[in-house]
Amino acid sequence: MAVMKDTDERFQYLSKKIGLFVLIAILGIAGIIVFIGIQRDVFTNKTKLYFISENGQGLNEGQAVKLSGFKIGKIEKLSLDDVAKVKVEISINTKYMKWIKTDSTIKLVKEGYIGDAVLEVKVKVEISINTKYMKWIKTDSTIKLVKEGYIGDAVLEVTPGSVQAKQIPEGGYLNFQGAKSINEIIEELKDDIKPVLLDIKQIIHYINDPKGDVKQILGNVNKLSGDIQHTRELIDTMLKNTDKNLENTMKKTDTLLGSIKDTVDTTNNILKNVETKLPNMLDKVDKSLTDVQKITDDIKHTTSGAPVLMDKVTDITDDAKDITGAVKKTWPISSKIKIPEEKTIKVDSYE
Amino acid sequence: MNRIPFLHLILTYTRPLVLTIIFPLLFICPGCSTGPHQPSERQQIAIESNQRAENAYKKRNYIKALNHYMEALNISRSLENADSMGSNIVNIAYVYYRMGEREKSHTYADLIINKNPFEYSVRYLIDAMSIKALLYCDESNGKEASFWADKALNLCQGVSCREEGRIYNIRARASLLNKDIKAATEYAKKGLEINKKIDDVAEMGNSMRIMADIELMNKNYEASRGLYKDALLIDKSLELSDKMIKDLLGIAVTFEKQGRPNEALPYYRRAISISEGMGSMEMEKSIREKIEKMQPQKNP
């Protein structure tokens, strides 16, 4: 049994609807193709030209051909001719052919340091100037493309010629100075920047020289930093120790103060005792000193003859010595006493 | 009965006899007899220095001995006492010789030989020449040693000197250095004979040791050993430790030369023991080195 009925309004003219959808899709795709074709100049009329190049370096098939910065065609084919020169076939949009004259030239240029090379065609540009201003346009006047700001279109600026120069006639030629390309700007900058870069190079070399002042200063600074770091660590350690020591010292000081307090208390007690006992002691000492003085007087009295006695003893000793000497010389004792004499060491024959 | 009156008589007259005759004689006799000459006070100091130096020398304290001998020499110089000067100069030369200070020893010996500042007694001259000969023996200069020993011997023959036997011993050692074994034997025998005659026991021991050395050189090991043993007996009796070591080493060498190291070893050990007792580390070390170098005995 069918779930949906054929009679449902939504399915009426289905085949026509699908046909229309497919047709629109096909037309859309065709339109896109045509659009891309137009974009890619597929449908544009082209005029084929050729030129001979000494070599094919930098030339590729499909490479753009530009006129005054506009793409007007491309390289169609590259081939070698009978004399081994490169025959370059280019196709130019026919609508631009009016600019290509018999005296037009073509050359290979690079649009920048980065990027593909292009073939550039040079053309003659005709300008119209209000006649009332023609008095300022002299034979040595120039015309150049300048930008009136970083943003904005470029305009052609004509410089008035010198007073001595003659006015340029109708259809005369003006010396054109195109706007400087990036390449030219870079070239100009290069000349200015080169000495600066050399200076910078020298400065960098001077800075990088390991024996140079900068490196040495940096080394010293580095060392100094290390030393400072080390010093800081030491100071930290010292401070920690100081804290610890201070804490210990404080504890000891507390203990010491306690001891001192005890000592002071003890001293106070002693002093009290001394105060009580001192008068008695002093009396006793005084008495003792009196006794000592008495004893000293007695001794003094007793030993008053000591020096005399010593002199006498010395005299007696000397006398005894003399007597002994005399006795030694006396016969028969003298014969028994050996007079001391100097001795000579016995020389030994086999020491 | 007759005896009693005689005894009484003696007892009666003894006291007056003593008082009147014998006691005065005690005071008169010093004047009658002449005692030995007493040295002056300063000379006495020089003598005391000399004696202190001798004591230090005996204790092998050579530096101290030198100082005292120098002190004594200075006093005797100041007094211009030639005899004392000669004695002290010879002593200083000999102490320097014992210390191994050869140049200084030569210098002092030359003072006597060169009569500086004046002529000294012959006995000091003989001693100085003997010291020169000994110095040259130590320097292994047999020629110079012979020269000075001969000069000393010539001086000795003019006077009666007890040093003759000793000088013959030195002459024998000089001959040994000159490889003249025959002459060395003759001189050693002559020395032994003289030393026996004058009963110089220490020099007798030296003569025997020199003869033992000669026999050792002649490879007469048994004879050499016998002489070393005789010398050892003498040196031991005189308590001469240095020489005892020399004798013991001599005996050990004779055994070693005969290929009997086991018998040599006890003598080496005795020598080490004496060295240890003397505190001579250097000697002890050299003997131990000799033992280490000794070849082990082969089993028969």
Side-chain angles (χ1 to χ4, degrees):
Chain A
M1 194 174 84
V3 176
M4 291 175 285
K5 291 176 181 176
D6 290 342
T7 55
D8 192 332
E9 284 181 356
R10 288 177 296 174
F11 297 107
Q12 283 180 355
Y13 313 113
L14 182 64
S15 57
K16 286 179 184 174
K17 285 178 183 173
I18 290 168
L20 185 66
F21 179 76
V22 170
L23 184 67
I24 291 167
I26 288 166
L27 285 173
I29 290 165
I32 289 166
I33 289 167
V34 170
F35 178 75
I36 292 168
I38 291 165
Q39 284 292 309
R40 298 210 169 210
D41 297 333
V42 175
F43 307 109
T44 314
N45 287 332
K46 292 186 179 83
T47 305
K48 285 193 178 176
L49 299 171
Y50 76 92
F51 66 92
I52 303 293
S53 171
E54 290 296 318
N55 59 62
Q57 194 174 7
L59 298 168
N60 296 303
E61 286 181 358
Q63 200 167 9
V65 177
K66 288 190 173 181
L67 174 69
S68 302
F70 291 92
K71 188 184 173 186
I72 58 168
K74 64 178 180 179
I75 295 175
E76 283 290 331
K77 190 180 174 185
L78 292 169
S79 59
L80 283 171
D81 65 1
D82 297 338
V83 290
K85 288 188 177 177
V86 181
K87 185 181 177 184
V88 184
E89 289 181 28
I90 56 171
S91 57
I92 307 287
N93 287 358
T94 309
K95 65 177 177 183
Y96 298 123
M97 276 304 287
K98 62 181 175 183
W99 303 110
I100 312 299
K101 305 286 170 65
T102 50
D103 59 351
S104 293
T105 58
I106 188 164
K107 67 173 181 179
L108 188 70
V109 293
K110 286 203 80 166
E111 288 184 312
Y113 282 96
I114 300 162
D116 293 332
V118 294
L119 285 167
E120 190 179 73
V121 179
K122 281 194 173 179
V123 295
K124 197 188 278 182
V125 179
E126 288 178 1
I127 57 167
S128 57
I129 297 170
N130 285 352
T131 310
K132 63 177 177 181
Y133 298 122
M134 277 303 285
K135 61 181 176 185
W136 304 109
I137 313 299
K138 301 287 177 65
T139 49
D140 56 355
S141 291
T142 56
I143 185 165
K144 62 179 177 182
L145 190 69
V146 292
K147 289 195 83 169
E148 289 181 318
Y150 284 101
I151 301 164
D153 295 330
V155 293
L156 284 168
E157 188 179 85
V158 179
T159 57
S162 60
V163 179
Q164 296 84 6
K166 290 178 182 173
Q167 186 183 324
I168 195 163
E170 175 84 17
Y173 172 78
L174 281 173
N175 190 20
F176 177 70
Q177 292 178 344
K180 282 179 184 174
S181 66
I182 292 172
N183 289 353
E184 286 168 336
I185 292 166
I186 289 171
E187 281 297 322
E188 278 179 10
L189 279 173
K190 196 173 89 177
D191 293 338
D192 293 337
I193 289 169
K194 202 171 177 180
V196 178
L197 286 172
L198 281 171
D199 288 346
I200 291 168
K201 194 180 170 187
Q202 281 182 351
I203 291 164
I204 290 168
H205 181 261
Y206 172 70
I207 291 166
N208 277 335
D209 185 7
K211 290 178 182 174
D213 295 340
V214 177
K215 279 278 179 185
Q216 285 195 354
I217 289 166
L218 285 172
N220 289 338
V221 168
N222 195 25
K223 197 179 168 188
L224 189 68
S225 303
D227 290 348
I228 290 168
Q229 181 70 22
H230 182 63
T231 310
R232 195 196 149 178
E233 283 169 10
L234 286 175
I235 290 167
D236 285 348
T237 314
M238 203 170 77
L239 284 170
K240 279 179 191 171
N241 289 336
T242 308
D243 283 350
K244 205 185 275 181
N245 289 339
L246 200 64
E247 202 177 319
N248 289 335
T249 311
M250 288 304 288
K251 281 179 188 172
K252 282 178 185 173
T253 310
D254 286 346
T255 317
L256 194 68
L257 283 170
S259 300
I260 289 168
K261 199 185 170 195
D262 293 344
T263 311
V264 168
D265 291 343
T266 314
T267 312
N268 280 336
N269 292 331
I270 291 167
L271 281 171
K272 279 175 188 171
N273 286 330
V274 168
E275 273 175 14
T276 317
K277 293 178 180 175
L278 192 64
N280 293 331
M281 276 174 72
L282 283 172
D283 287 345
K284 284 180 182 176
V285 168
D286 192 38
K287 205 174 176 183
S288 300
L289 280 172
T290 313
D291 291 344
V292 167
Q293 198 172 0
K294 203 175 174 185
I295 292 163
T296 311
D297 288 342
D298 289 346
I299 290 168
K300 207 172 176 182
H301 180 69
T302 311
T303 57
S304 58
V308 181
L309 193 68
M310 285 304 290
D311 289 343
K312 281 182 179 174
V313 168
T314 310
D315 289 345
I316 290 164
T317 312
D318 289 342
D319 289 346
K321 206 174 175 181
D322 290 344
I323 291 163
T324 314
V327 170
K328 276 182 183 174
K329 289 176 190 171
T330 308
W331 180 89
I333 297 165
S334 62
S335 61
K336 299 290 176 188
I337 292 172
K338 206 174 179 181
I339 301 297
E341 58 180 3
E342 286 179 317
K343 286 181 185 171
T344 311
I345 304 168
K346 195 184 166 196
V347 176
D348 195 288
S349 65
Y350 204 114
E351 283 290 352
Chain B
M1 284 296 286
N2 288 338
R3 280 185 177 182
I4 296 165
F6 180 68
L7 188 67
H8 179 75
L9 193 72
I10 288 170
L11 287 171
T12 310
Y13 289 102
T14 299
R15 191 173 290 172
L17 196 72
V18 167
L19 285 171
T20 54
I21 301 168
I22 298 172
F23 190 72
L25 272 175
L26 283 172
F27 294 93
I28 294 162
C29 280
C32 300
S33 67
T34 51
H37 174 70
Q38 289 291 321
S40 69
E41 199 173 331
R42 291 192 70 193
Q43 193 59 45
Q44 186 70 36
I45 296 167
I47 291 166
E48 282 168 12
S49 291
N50 178 282
Q51 286 170 343
R52 276 196 290 271
E54 193 187 4
N55 290 333
Y57 174 80
K58 282 176 183 169
K59 289 173 189 169
R60 294 170 181 273
N61 190 344
Y62 297 134
I63 303 287
K64 195 175 176 184
L66 263 181
N67 287 334
H68 288 307
Y69 279 133
M70 290 285 187
E71 197 181 333
L73 175 62
N74 285 336
I75 294 168
S76 53
R77 264 182 179 161
S78 68
L79 300 172
E80 212 175 38
N81 184 335
D83 192 58
S84 174
M85 280 171 72
S87 171
N88 286 310
I89 289 170
V90 165
N91 288 338
I92 291 166
Y94 193 61
V95 174
Y96 272 132
Y97 162 71
R98 293 298 302 272
M99 287 169 75
E101 297 267 6
R102 292 197 191 99
E103 274 187 34
K104 287 176 182 172
S105 183
H106 272 298
T107 307
Y108 277 88
D110 287 341
L111 286 177
I112 303 280
I113 292 162
N114 298 333
K115 302 169 184 176
N116 186 359
F118 38 63
E119 197 167 344
Y120 296 92
S121 162
V122 176
R123 60 185 171 130
Y124 300 133
L125 204 53
I126 290 168
D127 278 343
M129 287 173 177
S130 302
I131 291 167
K132 292 280 278 184
L134 284 171
L135 284 164
Y136 283 117
C137 277
D138 268 19
E139 291 163 24
S140 302
N141 188 342
K143 198 179 166 187
E144 283 294 315
S146 301
F147 171 78
W148 287 107
D150 285 341
K151 282 196 89 167
L153 274 175
N154 283 339
L155 277 177
C156 245
Q157 280 156 11
V159 291
S160 60
C161 71
R162 284 180 61 85
E163 288 79 18
E164 200 176 5
R166 177 189 73 197
I167 299 165
Y168 271 115
N169 282 346
I170 298 170
R171 188 65 183 83
R173 286 181 64 195
S175 296
L176 268 181
L177 286 172
N178 294 331
K179 310 280 181 194
D180 189 350
I181 292 173
K182 193 182 169 189
T185 312
E186 288 300 316
Y187 285 126
K189 279 182 181 173
K190 183 82 177 166
L192 181 63
E193 186 189 322
I194 294 167
N195 288 324
K196 269 183 183 171
K197 201 182 285 179
I198 60 168
D199 201 25
D200 190 338
V201 186
E203 284 301 329
M204 275 167 65
N206 288 342
S207 301
M208 285 173 183
R209 199 176 311 101
I210 293 165
M211 286 165 76
D213 289 342
I214 294 166
E215 293 299 339
L216 186 67
M217 285 176 79
N218 287 333
K219 297 183 179 176
N220 296 327
Y221 301 122
E222 295 293 338
S224 172
R225 190 155 55 239
L227 284 162
Y228 277 130
K229 283 184 175 175
D230 288 344
L232 178 63
L233 281 175
I234 291 170
D235 294 333
K236 204 168 177 179
S237 68
L238 296 173
E239 299 176 345
L240 301 169
S241 305
D242 282 334
K243 291 181 180 177
M244 282 163 68
I245 291 170
K246 283 174 184 164
D247 299 331
L248 287 165
L249 291 177
I251 295 166
V253 170
T254 58
F255 278 121
E256 212 182 321
K257 293 278 183 190
Q258 285 181 311
R260 294 152 68 183
N262 289 353
E263 287 168 84
L265 201 58
Y267 290 96
Y268 276 131
R269 282 180 182 154
R270 280 172 67 183
I272 288 172
S273 172
I274 296 168
S275 303
E276 283 174 344
M278 287 169 68
S280 174
M281 304 277 283
E282 206 175 324
M283 177 65 80
E284 189 192 330
K285 193 184 165 191
S286 76
I287 299 168
R288 286 191 192 282
E289 283 172 0
K290 280 178 186 170
I291 294 172
E292 280 172 18
K293 284 178 188 170
M294 203 163 57
Q295 296 290 325
Q297 190 164 342
K298 289 172 187 169
N299 290 326

